[in-house]
């Protein structure tokens, strides 16, 4: 390899724009000798331009003690002039568990190494070889990371002609050169001179960054043969894994039947058993060996009172089975606005399990790992996604529900009492559902000072002199909280006999987005929402309104914002009613400018002043 590849100063300017690192040369060589024998060799030379690219000097290689191994590893570090300054070997790597959370136990491990970069540019060369005896997927080719340019990159795959090899390109049009003999086919991809991609605010990397997914029809996972010819065959494999762990013992079945005997409808029984599970179980992930895919037995969970997403979903399945209510175990790719599985490309693109209960005329989805999730409601973690339903006949991809603005409500009443010196006291009552409910439930885990800081930041409030937080109730998916707030200085400006205020304790909407000449990517929010606030302001004795903010009614293709002000002279009160609505969490790129102008208009509306003055 020519030395110029290692010289950090020899990169074309066009590749340095928006780049934190530049791939000078990279090859990924995958050899699939059989479903249980895959070797991946990688050789990469990457120049790091600044500290934002430091993760290129970090390497994690997964392995397991029984099935997957790191055959070799070497890292070399070169200075700006291309001179070798440091060399690392496999023996220098830190060996640790693949997870760091205390709630998760696994026999998956990683070899880890990080080089501390002292100056830039620096070039990192990594050469590795990993062998997999147990894997459901063939490794994908992630061509380009965010804010990374590509000078030269290759991917080669060698695989048996009978393996049923498939590939899926995402956000790229490059195609392979294929050669075939009597035994194997070889696929060669090459790309060069790719400029860095800087994600637009609110964009999702899976919608933008180029990559290629690979799959074959057969796999081997911890000694078990599997079939990925279709989603149906993969679902059948999961159904087989679960077949001997999804039934409670006869004594517990009778107890469960007795517990639900007085409930009339199947939906009442599902709700009762779901809430029983939430109150009785806790989430602990234990993924040892085949346990990475196969749940604990329902009896084990029943006795030990814990499990991971697979075990708890399987346990809920067993509870319903005990009262003759059918349900479907389902796997899904979880995470806010995460990538859905592809209908026409079967591969293991899942990291979580939930449960689907197809009642007559009313399908119910259950998140079984949460002790607080409202019955029958999914969150942005799993909503609006494709899930693989596991049935006796096989697997079927279906869409999970998409929440509406009404599912995620923030309803508030605020009473502000102003004093003549510009201070104020405020009493706030908040009723929340969906994601807003989750926000306030999450506060219970924080210390008092942390709760106050979080509330001030979350509500975008002016810094109070004192704040008391009181969680009042949580019933039927509605969380009620109250706040008592004091302000030594609530007015923005005091001049003579006049006081200027923003007439709210918090803003219903606190976001704006930058002006762009052209938007390429859709903009993602976490969820649709509906926010309301009624604010009553008591003016100090001897004061009256001089200027009221004007009423506003702002429209957007995917929402609206309205605020109205009324002055009750008899009570010397100003009352405002504000409402913000967002009907979808995904805004098409073509609507970005409209959204940007709409948000700016909301910011201006919320910044309008209430002016009061002393009576003459």
């Amino acid at each position: 390899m020519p030395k110029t590849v290692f010289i950090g100063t020899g990169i074309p300017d066009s590749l340095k724009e928006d780049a934190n690192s530049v791939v000078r040369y990279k090859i990924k060589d995958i050899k699939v000798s059989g479903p249980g024998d895959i070797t991946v060799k990688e050789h990469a030379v990457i120049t790091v331009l600044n500290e934002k690219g430091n993760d290129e000097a970090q390497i994690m290689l997964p392995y397991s003690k029984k099935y997957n191994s790191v055959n070799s590893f070497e890292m070399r570090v070169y200075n700006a002039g291309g001179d070798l300054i440091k060399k690392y070997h496999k023996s220098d790597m830190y060996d640790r568990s693949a997870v760091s959370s205390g709630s998760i136990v696994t026999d998956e491990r990683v070899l880890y190494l990080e080089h501390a970069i002292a100056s830039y540019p620096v070039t990192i060369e990594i050469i590795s070889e990993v062998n997999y005896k147990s894997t459901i997927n063939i490794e994908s080719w992630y061509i380009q990371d965010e804010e990374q340019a590509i000078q030269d990159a290759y991917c080669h795959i060698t695989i048996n002609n009978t393996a049923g090899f498939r590939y899926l390109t995402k956000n790229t049009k490059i195609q392979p050169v294929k050669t075939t003999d009597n035994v194997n086919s070889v696929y060669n991809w090459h790309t060069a001179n790719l400029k860095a991609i800087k994600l637009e605010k609110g964009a999702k990397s899976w919608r933008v960054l180029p990559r290629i997914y690979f799959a074959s029809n057969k796999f081997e996972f911890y000694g078990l043969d599997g079939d990925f010819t279709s989603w149906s065959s993969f679902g059948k494999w999961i159904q087989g894994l679960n077949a001997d762990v999804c039934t409670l013992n006869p004594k517990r079945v009778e107890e469960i039947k007795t517990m639900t005997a007085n409930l009339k409808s199947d939906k009442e029984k599902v709700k009762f058993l779901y809430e029983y599970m939430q109150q009785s179980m806790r989430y602990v992930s234990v993924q040892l060996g085949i346990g990475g895919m196969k749940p604990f037995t329902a009896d084990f969970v029943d006795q030990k009172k814990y499990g991971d997403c697979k075990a708890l979903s399987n346990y809920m399945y067993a509870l319903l089975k005990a009262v003759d209510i059918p349900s479907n175990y389902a796997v899904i790719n979880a995470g806010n606005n995460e990538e859905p599985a592809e209908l026409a490309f079967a591969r293991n693109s899942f990291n979580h399990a939930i449960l689907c209960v197809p009642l007559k005329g009313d399908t119910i989805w259950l998140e079984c790992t949460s002790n607080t999730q409202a019955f029958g409601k999914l969150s942005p973690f799993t909503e609006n996604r494709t899930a693989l339903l596991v049935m006796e006949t096989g697997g079927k991809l279906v869409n999970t529900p998409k929440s509406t603005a009404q599912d995620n409500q923030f309803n508030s009443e605020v009473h502000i009492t102003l004093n003549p010196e510009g201070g104020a006291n405020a009493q706030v009552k908040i009723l929340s559902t969906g994601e807003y409910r989750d926000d306030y439930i999450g506060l219970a885990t924080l210390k008092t000072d942390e709760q106050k800081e979080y509330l001030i930041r979350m509500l975008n409030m002016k810094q109070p002199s004192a704040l008391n937080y009181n969680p009042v109730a949580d019933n039927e998916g509605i969380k009620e909280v109250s706040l008592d707030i004091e302000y030594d200085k609530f007015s923005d400006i005091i001049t003579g006999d006049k006081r200027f205020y923003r007439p709210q304790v918090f803003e219903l909407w606190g976001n704006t987005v930058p002006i762009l000449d052209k938007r390429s990517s859709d903009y993602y929010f976490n969820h649709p929402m509906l926010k309301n606030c009624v604010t009553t302001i008591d003016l100090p004795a001897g004061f009256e309104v001089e200027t009221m903010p004007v009423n506003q009614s702002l429209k957007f293709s995917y929402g609206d914002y309205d605020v109205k002000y009324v002055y009750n002279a008899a009570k010397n009160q100003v009352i405002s009613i504000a409402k913000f609505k967002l009907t979808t969490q995904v805004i098409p790129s073509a609507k970005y400018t409209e959204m940007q102008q709409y948000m700016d208009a909301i910011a201006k509306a919320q910044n309008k002043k209430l002016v009061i003055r002393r009576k003459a």
Side-chain angles (χ1 to χ4, degrees):
M1 190 175 298
K3 185 174 179 178
T4 52
V5 172
F6 303 97
I7 298 174
T9 56
I11 300 169
D13 289 342
S14 61
L15 294 183
K16 290 191 287 187
E17 184 180 351
D18 291 331
N20 301 321
S21 64
V22 179
V23 174
R24 316 297 299 280
Y25 169 85
K26 190 171 186 177
I27 183 167
K28 184 168 195 168
D29 195 336
I30 303 172
K31 184 176 182 181
V32 184
S33 300
D37 188 5
I38 300 175
T39 300
V40 180
K41 297 179 181 179
E42 290 196 74
H43 185 185
V45 181
I46 301 174
T47 297
V48 180
L49 302 178
N50 56 58
E51 62 183 10
K52 292 181 179 179
N54 280 1
D55 57 353
E56 301 299 340
Q58 303 170 6
I59 184 73
M60 279 197 229
L61 297 176
Y63 78 98
S64 65
K65 291 183 177 179
K66 186 174 181 181
Y67 286 99
N68 304 326
S69 60
V70 177
N71 296 341
S72 61
F73 168 81
E74 189 171 333
M75 177 192 281
R76 301 168 188 158
V77 183
Y78 302 85
N79 64 16
D83 300 318
L84 180 66
I85 57 175
K86 186 74 175 178
K87 184 184 288 189
Y88 299 94
H89 298 89
K90 180 181 173 181
S91 58
D92 298 313
M93 302 186 84
Y94 174 58
D95 189 336
R96 65 170 177 79
S97 170
V99 296
S100 56
S101 171
S103 67
I104 301 178
V105 180
T106 177
D107 57 4
E108 299 297 316
R109 302 193 65 79
V110 296
L111 292 176
Y112 174 80
L113 180 69
E114 178 178 1
H115 171 74
I117 297 176
S119 61
Y120 305 91
V122 62
T123 298
I124 309 295
E125 180 180 24
I126 295 174
I127 305 170
S128 64
E129 180 179 316
V130 179
N131 181 256
Y132 297 95
K133 299 295 184 187
S134 169
T135 184
I136 295 178
N137 286 339
I138 301 172
E139 276 195 20
S140 302
W141 185 29
Y142 291 90
I143 300 169
Q144 185 176 17
D145 290 334
E146 182 182 357
E147 297 181 24
Q148 180 183 71
I150 306 293
Q151 200 164 7
D152 223 3
Y154 302 82
C155 184
H156 300 164
I157 289 186
T158 304
I159 191 167
N160 191 279
N161 295 331
T162 63
F165 176 69
R166 295 167 283 121
Y167 65 89
L168 177 68
T169 58
K170 302 285 285 187
N171 308 315
T172 181
K173 295 180 179 180
I174 64 170
Q175 293 296 320
V177 174
K178 179 184 176 183
T179 58
T180 304
D181 59 26
N182 292 332
V183 179
N184 293 319
S185 291
V186 179
Y187 297 78
N188 294 302
W189 285 267
H190 173 234
T191 189
N193 298 317
L194 299 182
K195 294 183 178 181
I197 297 173
K198 187 178 180 67
L199 283 188
E200 296 167 312
K201 180 180 174 66
K204 288 295 173 182
S205 62
W206 59 268
R207 293 284 308 274
V208 178
L209 298 180
R211 61 204 182 285
I212 303 177
Y213 295 142
F214 305 124
S216 62
N217 289 347
K218 302 295 181 183
F219 65 87
E220 187 175 311
F221 188 75
Y222 282 87
L224 292 180
D225 292 333
D227 189 318
F228 236 137
T229 304
S230 65
W231 287 120
S232 179
S233 64
F234 185 53
K236 191 71 174 175
W237 182 78
I238 296 175
Q239 193 274 336
L241 274 186
N242 295 5
D244 62 348
V245 299
C246 60
T247 305
L248 291 165
N249 67 71
K251 181 181 178 182
R252 278 298 278 155
V253 169
E254 291 306 314
E255 291 172 354
I256 299 302
K257 286 182 176 179
T258 300
M259 288 164 57
T260 58
N262 294 327
L263 300 174
K264 296 179 181 179
S265 69
D266 281 353
K267 186 171 183 178
E268 287 178 299
K269 292 179 181 180
V270 176
K271 184 175 187 294
F272 175 85
L273 291 174
Y274 178 67
E275 291 174 351
Y276 166 77
M277 182 202 67
Q278 286 183 302
Q279 294 161 11
S280 306
M281 303 297 159
R282 63 190 178 94
Y283 174 83
V284 176
S285 181
V286 181
Q287 301 188 32
L288 299 174
I290 193 66
M293 288 294 292
K294 185 181 178 77
F296 290 153
T297 67
D299 278 329
F300 178 92
V301 176
D302 194 54
Q303 293 164 16
K304 300 296 184 181
K305 309 300 181 191
Y306 67 79
D308 63 4
C309 63
K310 302 181 299 294
L312 294 173
S313 297
N314 179 66
Y315 177 66
M316 187 66 210
Y317 174 96
L319 289 176
L320 296 176
K321 184 179 178 182
V323 294
D324 301 318
I325 297 176
S327 62
N328 297 108
Y329 182 89
V331 289
I332 194 166
N333 188 26
N336 286 9
N337 292 310
E338 277 297 334
E339 183 176 11
E342 292 278 348
L343 182 63
F345 192 80
R347 64 186 288 272
N348 186 29
S349 38
F350 311 111
N351 60 11
H352 189 55
I354 55 179
L355 196 71
C356 178
V357 189
L359 298 180
K360 189 175 292 184
D362 187 12
T363 298
I364 298 170
W365 290 88
L366 300 176
E367 171 55 72
C368 299
T369 59
S370 170
N371 298 116
T372 59
Q373 189 70 33
F375 169 69
K377 296 292 184 181
L378 295 179
S379 70
F381 194 57
T382 52
E383 72 170 40
N384 195 28
R385 215 74 45 84
T386 45
L388 184 68
L389 281 189
V390 177
M391 303 176 288
E392 290 186 5
T393 55
K396 180 182 178 182
L397 272 189
V398 298
N399 293 324
T400 60
K402 180 179 180 181
S403 71
T404 65
Q406 285 71 23
D407 291 321
N408 302 291
Q409 290 194 45
F410 175 96
N411 297 303
S412 55
E413 296 177 6
V414 180
H415 193 152
I416 305 171
T417 303
L418 304 179
N419 64 47
E421 292 75 30
N425 292 329
Q427 289 77 48
V428 179
K429 176 183 175 182
I430 296 170
L431 297 173
S432 56
T433 67
E435 282 302 282
Y436 292 109
R437 172 178 174 266
D438 286 352
D439 285 339
Y440 290 102
I441 287 174
L443 280 175
T445 64
L446 302 178
K447 297 176 182 177
T448 301
D449 288 345
E450 293 173 333
Q451 287 178 340
K452 293 177 182 179
E453 290 175 8
Y454 184 84
L455 283 164
I456 292 167
R457 186 171 64 253
M458 180 171 66
L459 294 172
N460 198 23
M461 293 192 296
K462 181 179 288 190
Q463 185 70 36
S465 310
L467 187 154
N468 291 315
Y469 166 69
N470 180 27
V472 180
D474 183 32
N475 295 313
E476 298 298 324
I478 301 174
K479 177 70 174 176
E480 180 179 349
V481 302
S482 67
L483 309 175
D484 291 313
I485 309 172
E486 296 179 13
Y487 291 95
D488 291 338
K489 184 175 182 285
F490 188 66
S491 61
D492 292 327
I493 301 171
I494 297 177
T495 173
D497 289 338
K498 294 183 181 181
R499 311 284 185 269
F500 294 74
Y501 300 91
R502 281 187 296 176
Q504 65 268 333
V505 169
F506 50 78
E507 298 172 343
L508 279 188
W509 186 248
N511 293 355
T512 57
V513 293
I515 297 172
L516 297 177
D517 293 332
K518 184 180 179 181
R519 173 82 182 191
S520 301
S521 310
D522 294 346
Y523 191 101
Y524 282 75
F525 293 98
N526 281 342
H527 53 82
M529 64 194 76
L530 179 61
K531 306 180 77 175
N532 295 283
C533 186
V534 177
T535 302
T536 301
I537 302 176
D538 291 341
L539 274 57
F543 280 76
E544 62 186 358
V545 169
E546 178 178 280
T547 305
M548 291 252 287
V550 297
N551 297 339
Q552 298 271 346
S553 183
L554 305 172
K555 302 297 181 184
F556 169 50
S557 295
Y558 301 97
D560 51 68
Y561 173 83
D562 291 283
V563 61
K564 296 179 180 178
Y565 298 91
V566 176
Y567 177 47
N568 185 327
K571 293 184 178 180
N572 206 22
Q573 288 180 334
V574 173
I575 300 171
S576 69
I577 301 173
K579 173 185 149 184
F580 174 87
K581 186 176 184 181
L582 182 70
T583 59
T584 182
Q585 69 262 47
V586 184
I587 310 301
S589 57
K591 294 292 184 178
Y592 177 85
T593 297
E594 182 191 350
M595 179 182 74
Q596 182 273 320
Q597 293 170 349
Y598 168 68
M599 289 186 183
D600 275 4
I602 293 175
K604 291 175 182 176
Q606 292 182 141
N607 199 40
K608 297 295 183 183
K609 298 294 189 289
L610 166 68
V611 184
I612 66 173
R613 66 187 176 196
R614 289 188 188 274
K615 294 179 181 178

